[in-house]
PDB file of all heavy atoms in Angstrom:
ATOM      1  N   PHE A 473       0.659  25.122 -16.885  1.00 82.00           N
ATOM      2  CA  PHE A 473       0.038  24.329 -17.955  1.00 82.00           C
ATOM      3  C   PHE A 473      -1.259  25.021 -18.301  1.00 82.00           C
ATOM      4  O   PHE A 473      -2.041  25.522 -17.488  1.00 82.00           O
ATOM      5  CB  PHE A 473      -0.142  22.930 -17.514  1.00 82.00           C
ATOM      6  CG  PHE A 473       1.050  22.215 -17.273  1.00 82.00           C
ATOM      7  CD1 PHE A 473       1.625  22.110 -15.943  1.00 82.00           C
ATOM      8  CD2 PHE A 473       1.838  21.415 -18.201  1.00 82.00           C
ATOM      9  CE1 PHE A 473       2.768  21.460 -15.698  1.00 82.00           C
ATOM     10  CE2 PHE A 473       2.922  20.811 -17.890  1.00 82.00           C
ATOM     11  CZ  PHE A 473       3.443  20.774 -16.589  1.00 82.00           C
ATOM     12  N   ASP A 474      -1.440  25.036 -19.588  1.00 79.00           N
ATOM     13  CA  ASP A 474      -2.810  25.544 -20.152  1.00 79.00           C
ATOM     14  C   ASP A 474      -3.900  24.376 -19.838  1.00 79.00           C
ATOM     15  O   ASP A 474      -3.774  23.347 -20.210  1.00 79.00           O
ATOM     16  CB  ASP A 474      -2.594  25.655 -21.676  1.00 79.00           C
ATOM     17  CG  ASP A 474      -3.869  26.385 -22.224  1.00 79.00           C
ATOM     18  OD1 ASP A 474      -4.954  25.922 -21.950  1.00 79.00           O
ATOM     19  OD2 ASP A 474      -3.700  27.243 -23.030  1.00 79.00           O
ATOM     20  N   PRO A 475      -4.938  24.858 -19.060  1.00 80.00           N
ATOM     21  CA  PRO A 475      -5.920  23.771 -18.642  1.00 80.00           C
ATOM     22  C   PRO A 475      -6.665  23.257 -19.893  1.00 80.00           C
ATOM     23  O   PRO A 475      -7.436  22.299 -19.749  1.00 80.00           O
ATOM     24  CB  PRO A 475      -6.754  24.545 -17.697  1.00 80.00           C
ATOM     25  CG  PRO A 475      -6.536  25.958 -18.047  1.00 80.00           C
ATOM     26  CD  PRO A 475      -5.130  26.069 -18.586  1.00 80.00           C
ATOM     27  N   LYS A 476      -6.697  23.975 -21.042  1.00 84.00           N
ATOM     28  CA  LYS A 476      -7.472  23.491 -22.176  1.00 84.00           C
ATOM     29  C   LYS A 476      -6.611  22.716 -23.105  1.00 84.00           C
ATOM     30  O   LYS A 476      -7.024  21.567 -23.543  1.00 84.00           O
ATOM     31  CB  LYS A 476      -8.003  24.717 -22.929  1.00 84.00           C
ATOM     32  CG  LYS A 476      -9.069  25.513 -22.113  1.00 84.00           C
ATOM     33  CD  LYS A 476      -9.606  26.609 -22.961  1.00 84.00           C
ATOM     34  CE  LYS A 476     -10.632  27.382 -22.128  1.00 84.00           C
ATOM     35  NZ  LYS A 476     -11.215  28.558 -22.948  1.00 84.00           N
ATOM     36  N   THR A 477      -5.408  23.086 -23.368  1.00 83.00           N
ATOM     37  CA  THR A 477      -4.505  22.299 -24.338  1.00 83.00           C
ATOM     38  C   THR A 477      -3.531  21.494 -23.561  1.00 83.00           C
ATOM     39  O   THR A 477      -2.975  20.552 -24.161  1.00 83.00           O
ATOM     40  CB  THR A 477      -3.745  23.284 -25.191  1.00 83.00           C
ATOM     41  OG1 THR A 477      -2.842  24.057 -24.401  1.00 83.00           O
ATOM     42  CG2 THR A 477      -4.703  24.224 -25.958  1.00 83.00           C
ATOM     43  N   CYS A 478      -3.372  21.669 -22.297  1.00 83.00           N
ATOM     44  CA  CYS A 478      -2.444  20.868 -21.393  1.00 83.00           C
ATOM     45  C   CYS A 478      -0.950  21.128 -21.836  1.00 83.00           C
ATOM     46  O   CYS A 478      -0.157  20.404 -21.312  1.00 83.00           O
ATOM     47  CB  CYS A 478      -2.756  19.360 -21.473  1.00 83.00           C
ATOM     48  SG  CYS A 478      -4.489  19.009 -21.064  1.00 83.00           S
ATOM     49  N   GLU A 479      -0.696  22.115 -22.615  1.00 81.00           N
ATOM     50  CA  GLU A 479       0.628  22.437 -23.002  1.00 81.00           C
ATOM     51  C   GLU A 479       1.382  23.228 -21.840  1.00 81.00           C
ATOM     52  O   GLU A 479       0.749  23.928 -21.199  1.00 81.00           O
ATOM     53  CB  GLU A 479       0.665  23.258 -24.324  1.00 81.00           C
ATOM     54  CG  GLU A 479       0.188  22.540 -25.517  1.00 81.00           C
ATOM     55  CD  GLU A 479       0.166  23.360 -26.758  1.00 81.00           C
ATOM     56  OE1 GLU A 479       0.483  24.521 -26.623  1.00 81.00           O
ATOM     57  OE2 GLU A 479      -0.161  22.836 -27.839  1.00 81.00           O
ATOM     58  N   TYR A 480       2.693  22.996 -21.807  1.00 77.00           N
ATOM     59  CA  TYR A 480       3.516  23.661 -20.810  1.00 77.00           C
ATOM     60  C   TYR A 480       3.694  25.154 -21.286  1.00 77.00           C
ATOM     61  O   TYR A 480       4.018  25.407 -22.415  1.00 77.00           O
ATOM     62  CB  TYR A 480       4.928  22.865 -20.732  1.00 77.00           C
ATOM     63  CG  TYR A 480       5.842  23.697 -19.858  1.00 77.00           C
ATOM     64  CD1 TYR A 480       5.613  23.757 -18.512  1.00 77.00           C
ATOM     65  CD2 TYR A 480       7.001  24.215 -20.305  1.00 77.00           C
ATOM     66  CE1 TYR A 480       6.449  24.445 -17.661  1.00 77.00           C
ATOM     67  CE2 TYR A 480       7.960  24.782 -19.508  1.00 77.00           C
ATOM     68  CZ  TYR A 480       7.653  24.957 -18.187  1.00 77.00           C
ATOM     69  OH  TYR A 480       8.614  25.590 -17.365  1.00 77.00           O
ATOM     70  N   LEU A 481       3.437  26.118 -20.311  1.00 74.00           N
ATOM     71  CA  LEU A 481       3.520  27.469 -20.634  1.00 74.00           C
ATOM     72  C   LEU A 481       4.617  28.177 -19.784  1.00 74.00           C
ATOM     73  O   LEU A 481       4.819  29.369 -19.955  1.00 74.00           O
ATOM     74  CB  LEU A 481       2.218  28.180 -20.247  1.00 74.00           C
ATOM     75  CG  LEU A 481       0.953  27.667 -20.954  1.00 74.00           C
ATOM     76  CD1 LEU A 481      -0.315  28.365 -20.373  1.00 74.00           C
ATOM     77  CD2 LEU A 481       1.035  27.769 -22.481  1.00 74.00           C
ATOM     78  N   ARG A 493      -0.752  14.766 -18.102  1.00 88.00           N
ATOM     79  CA  ARG A 493      -2.009  14.087 -18.352  1.00 88.00           C
ATOM     80  C   ARG A 493      -2.071  12.742 -17.539  1.00 88.00           C
ATOM     81  O   ARG A 493      -3.126  12.142 -17.547  1.00 88.00           O
ATOM     82  CB  ARG A 493      -2.119  13.649 -19.810  1.00 88.00           C
ATOM     83  CG  ARG A 493      -2.401  14.876 -20.774  1.00 88.00           C
ATOM     84  CD  ARG A 493      -2.527  14.335 -22.158  1.00 88.00           C
ATOM     85  NE  ARG A 493      -2.837  15.466 -23.060  1.00 88.00           N
ATOM     86  CZ  ARG A 493      -4.000  15.922 -23.350  1.00 88.00           C
ATOM     87  NH1 ARG A 493      -5.077  15.485 -22.740  1.00 88.00           N
ATOM     88  NH2 ARG A 493      -4.185  16.998 -24.116  1.00 88.00           N
ATOM     89  N   CYS A 503      -6.824  17.900 -17.508  1.00 88.00           N
ATOM     90  CA  CYS A 503      -5.855  17.262 -18.382  1.00 88.00           C
ATOM     91  C   CYS A 503      -5.626  15.725 -18.035  1.00 88.00           C
ATOM     92  O   CYS A 503      -5.276  14.933 -18.870  1.00 88.00           O
ATOM     93  CB  CYS A 503      -4.450  17.916 -18.303  1.00 88.00           C
ATOM     94  SG  CYS A 503      -4.546  19.626 -19.026  1.00 88.00           S
TER      95      CYS A 503
END
Side-chain angles (χ1 to χ4, degrees):
F473 296 88
D474 188 313
K476 294 183 179 180
T477 66
C478 306
E479 294 180 355
Y480 175 63
L481 303 177
R493 291 184 177 275
C503 294

